[in-house]
Amino acid sequence: MPERRTVALVTLGCARNEVDSEELAGRLAADGWELVEDAADADVAVVNTCGFVEAAKKDSVDALLEANDLKDHGRTQAVVAVGCMAERYGKELAEALPEADGVLGFDDYADISDRLQTILNGGVHASHTPRDRRKLLPISPAARQDTAVALPGHAQATSGEPTPSAGEAAPADLPEGIAPASGPRAPLRRRLDKSPVASVKLASGCDRRCSFCAIPSFRGSFISRRPSDVLGETRWLAEQGVKEIMLVSENNTSYGKDLGDIRLLETLLPELAEVDGIERVRVSYLQPAEMRPGLIDVLTSTPKVVPYFDLSFQHSAPDVLRAMRRFGDTDRFLELLDTIRSKAPTAGVRSNFIVGFPGEKESDFAELERFLTHARLDAIGVFGYSDEDGTEAVTYENKLDADTIAERLAHMQRLAEELTSQRAEERIGETLEVLVETVVPIDEAEDGEGAYGRAAHQAPETDGQVVFTDGAGLVPGRIVTAKVVGTLGVDLVAEPLGMDLEEAAG
């Protein structure tokens, strides 16, 4: 009998990283590794790091150090770093953090089992020297599809039995929860939780050159997944009990440009919505400058595709946007929001913003405040500018001092909290379709049975939630009609309407 090998995946950062972790889980489980939830119970703890901003990098280092401490107290024998921070810094990270027994880049993912086994056996796998991954793909998007470049979250199994239809058992020789192969285009993935929501990679990389962002340098140029792969993975997720999929990438509005059709997303969305078992399709990461009338129409009128707009505004003052190498201004952005709401008045809109960018004047800051005051966004993320290695903005003059950035950040965060709370209050009286995600049993709740979910305008983790006034009879994965009766900051308090409890209980 083969020796038992256990591994735990600790995921930090965005939903894209979550997809990557489930690909790694699929590869490891297929090669006989036993996946465990708690790193203390694992022979190897794999930390999927985030390398986006300083705070995220600090969290990644802290997670690696915390996992390393387990080597003195539990089963853990090795700690391995993967993900964006590992890819971005490679040998530099390995030298700065000797507590990590291995630092693996994206090119190692296909051989993750062998890499972990080598490290577990006391061997050393040399950390990679970071390189600009944009240079690994052709300049022309149309020439990128057939290149052999590692793209985390795009993996497809290449052998095995045909994919079973819903209700059929997977081949006995595959670990439970592993997607079997169907020729070269079956998903290679294992779910790491039982949530009714799952993210699906639509593409990887980015061709934009925002002066503050280093992501394209370590994620590479933009490359779409083929529609058949996205559909196949969605069908498999539906068979696993997923009710909502969220399409993720660095820039979903560019989907299809390397496949010969920039409007391919408008065609794909209705097909995804028709997948049996899927109740919601959500699109994240949209670029305002690339929004098309046809895409807005599909997002606001297609059954099961939620009218949700995760728009990357970043700022609204023209001079700051140009320095960021972005486009638009306050009035154009407000016009875009008016267009969206003319078609879907209750559409959800969220965005992130950077304050304290080099050269940001007080008048620019005031212009951003004007935009936020009129935009009626459901969720707002605000970040203070910080230099990022390898970005153009690092070379800019007229940088603001740390105290000014901190002051502007605190002011804008207070404003954002106030505005999103007001927006939540505007929804009092609305009737929502809420996906139940969590139910706290009555013996664990402080005051009766608690149930929580999300409406169409709320994405996982980032946009608040719906708190049900009565959780009796609710189960995760069900869509429940509810009326908003109050708010708790950005969260909504809602009362279930006309629910057949026997039906809800399954």
Side-chain angles (χ1 to χ4, degrees), residues 16 132-147 149-151 154 201-209 215-226 230 247-265 268 283-287 290 292:
R16 300 186 294 273
D132 189 337
R133 294 191 71 86
R134 290 171 293 192
K135 297 179 180 179
L136 302 181
L137 290 166
I139 294 176
S140 169
R144 294 174 187 167
Q145 282 292 317
D146 296 324
T147 54
V149 173
L151 299 169
H154 289 226
K201 271 280 183 77
L202 191 63
S204 286
C206 186
D207 286 342
R208 302 185 72 87
R209 294 295 180 263
I215 289 177
S217 67
F218 55 86
R219 278 288 184 178
S221 297
F222 184 88
I223 183 167
S224 304
R225 288 184 76 191
R226 294 185 180 277
V230 179
L247 300 177
V248 299
S249 76
E250 280 72 26
N251 178 10
N252 281 333
T253 35
S254 283
Y255 181 69
K257 74 175 187 178
D258 52 325
L259 294 170
D261 185 0
I262 190 60
R263 294 176 177 80
L264 192 56
L265 184 57
L268 178 61
V283 184
S284 61
Y285 305 109
L286 301 170
Q287 288 291 340
E290 297 181 28
R292 308 175 290 275

Side-chain angles (χ1 to χ4, degrees), residues 300 307 309 337-349 375-376 378 423 426-427 430 457:
T300 55
F309 294 82
L337 294 176
D338 286 344
T339 298
I340 290 169
R341 288 171 175 145
S342 70
K343 298 175 181 295
T346 61
V349 186
R376 296 170 58 233
D378 293 278
R423 179 66 183 127
E426 290 178 18
R427 293 190 180 273
E430 283 187 21
H457 71 279

Side-chain angles (χ1 to χ4, degrees), residues 152-171:
H154 289 226
Q156 306 295 322
T158 57
S159 63
E161 299 297 325
T163 303
S165 59
E168 292 181 357

Side-chain angles (χ1 to χ4, degrees), residues 100-178:
D101 299 287
V103 176
L104 305 181
F106 297 151
D107 293 333
D108 291 307
Y109 282 21
D111 300 307
I112 187 67
S113 178
D114 290 343
R115 300 289 186 265
L116 296 192
Q117 188 63 60
T118 296
I119 293 168
L120 187 58
N121 291 342
V124 176
H125 179 71
S127 302
H128 72 288
T129 300
R131 52 184 173 169
D132 189 337
R133 294 191 71 86
R134 290 171 293 192
K135 297 179 180 179
L136 302 181
L137 290 166
I139 294 176
S140 169
R144 294 174 187 167
Q145 282 292 317
D146 296 324
T147 54
V149 173
L151 299 169
H154 289 226
Q156 306 295 322
T158 57
S159 63
E161 299 297 325
T163 303
S165 59
E168 292 181 357
D173 59 340
L174 284 176
E176 181 182 357
I178 292 292

Side-chain angles (χ1 to χ4, degrees), residues 208-212 289 313-330 332-333 357-358 364 392 396:
R208 302 185 72 87
R209 294 295 180 263
C210 300
S211 62
F212 56 85
F313 288 123
Q314 301 300 341
H315 211 284
S316 73
D319 289 346
V320 175
L321 286 168
R322 301 306 173 269
M324 290 178 169
R325 300 215 177 277
R326 297 177 66 84
F327 305 94
D329 55 47
T330 295
R332 287 189 218 178
F333 291 164
F357 194 78
D364 297 324
E392 181 183 355
Y396 285 2

